[in-house]
Amino acid sequence: MASVHAPADSSASLSVSPATDEPEQNQEDSDNVEREFEREAFGPQPGDKAWDPYEIHIAPDDPDHPFSWSRLYRWYLTMLAGVVLLNATFASSAPTGIVPQLMEHFSFGGEVATLTISLFVAGYCVGPLLWGPLSEQFGRRYVFIGTFIVYTGFQVGAALSPNTASILIFRFLGGTFAAAPLSNSGALISDIWDAGTRGEALAFFTLAPFAGPTLGPIVSGFMATAGVDWRWVFWVLTFFAGACLILIVLTLPETFLPIIMVRRAQKMRKETGDDRYFAPYERQKLGFSQHVKRVLARPFLILFKEPMLLAITVYMSFVYGCIYILFEAYPIVYTEGHNFNEGISGLMFLPVFIGGCAGVFSYLLIFNPRYVKAQARYAPEPVPPEFRLEICMLAAPLFAISFFWFAWTSYPSISFWAPLISGFPLGWSIVWIFLALFNYMIDAYLFVAASALAANTVARSCFGAGFPLFATQMYNKLDPRWASTLLGCIAVLLGPIPFVLYKLGPAIRRRSKYAPTKPPVEQKNVEKEVDPTNNA
């Protein structure tokens, strides 16, 4: 029957009052916002005025609660979430190696060829606004299944495209449906893990959107070198998507707790014949305008009202755009400069991927254990989100240095090994930046994290779609040295963002309407207290 209520992430759901020098009204507004976003999914707690004994709640130790599933099974679901995300991002860059074939077959220029990548990523700008909210209305499983069926079909369409318009349309629509893992894979991970283990799970999740684009040019490049017809690249994407679809249908359960409670309520009504049983989600009566506001307006409302979220989004969007700039820059440096074929040029992305893997493993071995220890020190309060920024402050300078390194070793007269090796610290720094800022957003915006991540994903995708459109012209007009130097200079200008957030984040969060993790009252000097280096 009805059991004890618990939020989805009980280890991180505690909110603490702001410092005593803040206005009481500010804290009151914040509490109301926190209550709004928690209760719309989980309902009132036992003992509250609105408590109803027929309202279904599922405790963390209940067999239906994702937290109670075996760790092995939850790690499998984590890997599955990463694989489907890898599938989507791999497809974004797969045409890189077959661009010459596409240009010859369809008789279009380099700018239109670039659209086969940019339009797919542009679909990421639309998808998260649809699939994230829909997964909260109908469940993760149904959205994953529905989107992957359509996504697989669009890969078939791209493989059979008879003209330029059709392949561009199929690429855009394919990207729109492929965006479901971008918004929902992270949500799935937050459904099944508490805050302590979520960092480890997100480490693998973060590698997927980064590894996919770097592996795409390698596969398609060697297929082109082997003389395989360009259509087979899209057939490979079809088979990969179909395999993921089969795994989703056969092995992915529903993980979103409010939907699980809805199904428990339906089962109770059927078994007992008593229609008084209900789940919190079933009591929501949203009109059309309210639903549109929730789906479209909430992410951007939060984005533009939260300066630290806006700063994080700008920085992550630039870093993400730089990943897609490499798909235009590497062929100029290695294919044109060093006379490599498409297959060998694709291999030049390998150090970026290896650096990303090294970043993940170093995080798991060094920084995640530090976070687990910090949890014990701060208990029963949550660890301050600023603790997550430690690796970002190391990665930000390394990211800028990597572009300067790549810039001034990209002369054809210099061994290709010099710019090649620069990809290793570049990949390492990108993964650390994303890991730190993903975790920071989730910790700082606990109850509205989905909306914060949706806005961040849309903005990042706009940069990822737009950067390749001017990359070739930029690298041709400025030459690879100065073009990469320009990117390095922008990285230097944006690099202080994690340092500023680390120092001023607690003060900003005290004034935030959407951040529930307030600095504790008893801390006289919040900025010093959250310094993880003082507690190592």
Side-chain angles (χ1 to χ4, degrees):
M1 209 187 301
S3 57
V4 180
H5 162 77
D9 190 350
S10 56
S11 63
S13 63
L14 293 169
S15 63
V16 264
S17 303
T20 53
D21 58 342
E22 294 299 319
E24 290 184 7
Q25 183 62 39
N26 191 37
Q27 172 63 15
E28 217 172 272
D29 291 343
S30 178
D31 288 342
N32 290 337
V33 170
E34 293 164 31
R35 195 174 299 113
E36 171 195 349
F37 290 113
E38 183 179 12
R39 288 192 176 184
E40 73 177 18
F42 300 102
Q45 297 185 16
D48 285 356
K49 184 177 180 180
W51 170 257
D52 188 320
Y54 289 96
E55 184 170 4
I56 297 296
H57 293 289
I58 297 179
D61 59 351
D62 190 289
D64 285 339
H65 198 297
F67 284 8
S68 70
W69 301 345
S70 73
R71 288 183 64 87
L72 181 62
Y73 182 51
R74 284 183 287 162
W75 273 114
Y76 165 76
L77 295 178
T78 302
M79 296 298 105
L80 178 60
V83 168
V84 297
L85 181 57
L86 176 69
N87 179 301
T89 56
F90 174 81
S92 69
S93 65
T96 302
I98 56 171
V99 163
Q101 292 188 39
L102 293 175
M103 293 171 64
E104 179 181 356
H105 182 86
F106 292 107
S107 300
F108 50 52
E111 290 79 7
V112 178
T114 302
L115 286 175
T116 59
I117 296 173
S118 292
L119 284 177
F120 192 94
V121 182
Y124 295 168
C125 303
V126 180
L129 296 176
L130 300 173
W131 314 132
L134 284 175
S135 75
E136 294 175 354
Q137 291 296 313
F138 302 104
R140 316 287 192 213
R141 173 177 165 82
Y142 288 153
V143 170
F144 268 119
I145 292 175
T147 54
F148 255 80
I149 289 174
V150 180
Y151 165 61
T152 305
F154 284 137
Q155 301 316 301
V156 175
L160 300 176
S161 295
N163 52 48
T164 301
S166 60
I167 193 169
L168 294 181
I169 291 172
F170 283 128
R171 287 292 289 170
F172 173 72
L173 294 175
T176 301
F177 283 84
L182 267 72
S183 57
N184 293 351
S185 288
L188 186 152
I189 289 173
S190 67
D191 289 342
I192 63 178
W193 295 109
D194 56 35
T197 317
R198 188 174 63 227
E200 298 177 33
L202 279 176
F204 292 101
F205 167 77
T206 304
L207 183 60
F210 164 77
T214 59
L215 294 176
I218 298 175
V219 174
S220 61
F222 274 109
M223 291 179 71
T225 303
V228 176
D229 185 76
W230 64 268
R231 297 182 188 274
W232 273 103
V233 170
F234 295 105
W235 285 122
V236 168
L237 296 179
T238 301
F239 299 148
F240 191 5
C244 289
L245 175 60
I246 292 172
L247 290 176
I248 291 170
V249 171
L250 296 181
T251 65
L252 180 65
E254 182 54 58
T255 62
F256 190 43
L257 186 58
I259 297 297
I260 296 175
M261 290 193 289
V262 168
R263 295 178 182 174
R264 171 76 66 87
Q266 292 171 343
K267 180 180 179 182
M268 291 294 295
R269 290 195 295 266
K270 183 178 180 180
E271 291 180 349
T272 64
D274 191 338
D275 291 336
R276 290 178 292 179
Y277 288 103
F278 70 96
Y281 245 34
E282 293 179 304
R283 287 293 176 94
Q284 294 185 42
K285 303 295 182 182
L286 295 179
F288 179 77
S289 61
Q290 293 174 303
H291 189 72
V292 169
K293 181 179 178 181
R294 169 181 290 184
V295 172
L296 298 178
R298 182 192 284 179
F300 296 100
L301 183 69
I302 296 170
L303 177 64
F304 291 111
K305 283 189 174 182
E306 292 292 312
M308 64 181 183
L309 178 60
L310 186 60
I312 289 170
T313 298
V314 169
Y315 188 38
M316 293 182 71
S317 297
F318 171 73
V319 173
Y320 192 71
C322 287
I323 296 175
Y324 284 88
I325 272 186
L326 297 181
F327 303 139
E328 306 298 318
Y330 271 34
I332 292 174
V333 172
Y334 296 113
T335 305
E336 298 178 14
H338 291 279
N339 298 314
F340 293 159
N341 60 37
E342 288 83 357
I344 301 301
S345 291
L347 278 179
M348 299 299 106
F349 287 92
L350 201 54
V352 184
F353 172 67
I354 295 174
C357 294
V360 167
F361 288 117
S362 62
Y363 172 84
L364 294 176
L365 292 174
I366 301 172
F367 292 102
N368 196 68
R370 287 166 56 83
Y371 185 83
V372 173
K373 292 179 181 177
Q375 282 186 304
R377 285 198 306 274
Y378 282 95
E381 308 293 350
V383 179
E386 285 70 31
F387 197 96
R388 301 284 196 180
L389 296 175
E390 183 180 24
I391 60 173
C392 192
M393 293 190 293
L394 296 174
L398 186 62
F399 178 73
I401 290 170
S402 299
F403 265 103
F404 291 126
W405 180 349
F406 177 69
W408 296 103
T409 57
S410 60
Y411 287 99
S413 58
I414 297 178
S415 170
F416 71 90
W417 283 100
L420 175 67
I421 296 174
S422 71
F424 184 81
L426 181 65
W428 191 311
S429 61
I430 290 173
V431 164
W432 273 9
I433 290 170
F434 272 59
L435 266 174
L437 296 182
F438 269 138
N439 278 300
Y440 184 79
M441 284 189 291
I442 292 173
D443 288 354
Y445 297 103
L446 183 65
F447 297 121
V448 293
S451 295
L453 291 172
N456 180 273
T457 300
V458 171
R460 280 191 293 113
S461 301
C462 290
F463 277 63
F467 274 35
L469 297 178
F470 63 79
T472 300
Q473 292 85 343
M474 183 176 74
Y475 270 80
N476 284 331
K477 289 186 177 181
L478 296 179
D479 80 38
R481 268 67 62 192
W482 287 108
S484 296
T485 298
L486 175 62
L487 296 175
C489 290
I490 297 174
V492 169
L493 292 175
L494 296 177
I497 287 176
F499 293 87
V500 173
L501 290 178
Y502 183 78
K503 180 67 177 177
L504 302 180
I508 296 173
R509 286 188 289 110
R510 282 200 299 270
R511 294 168 174 82
S512 170
K513 183 180 178 182
Y514 296 100
T517 50
K518 308 294 181 185
V521 172
E522 64 272 15
Q523 292 180 5
K524 300 296 184 181
N525 190 331
V526 180
E527 286 79 5
K528 289 183 179 180
E529 181 67 22
V530 300
D531 184 351
T533 59
N534 291 339
N535 301 295

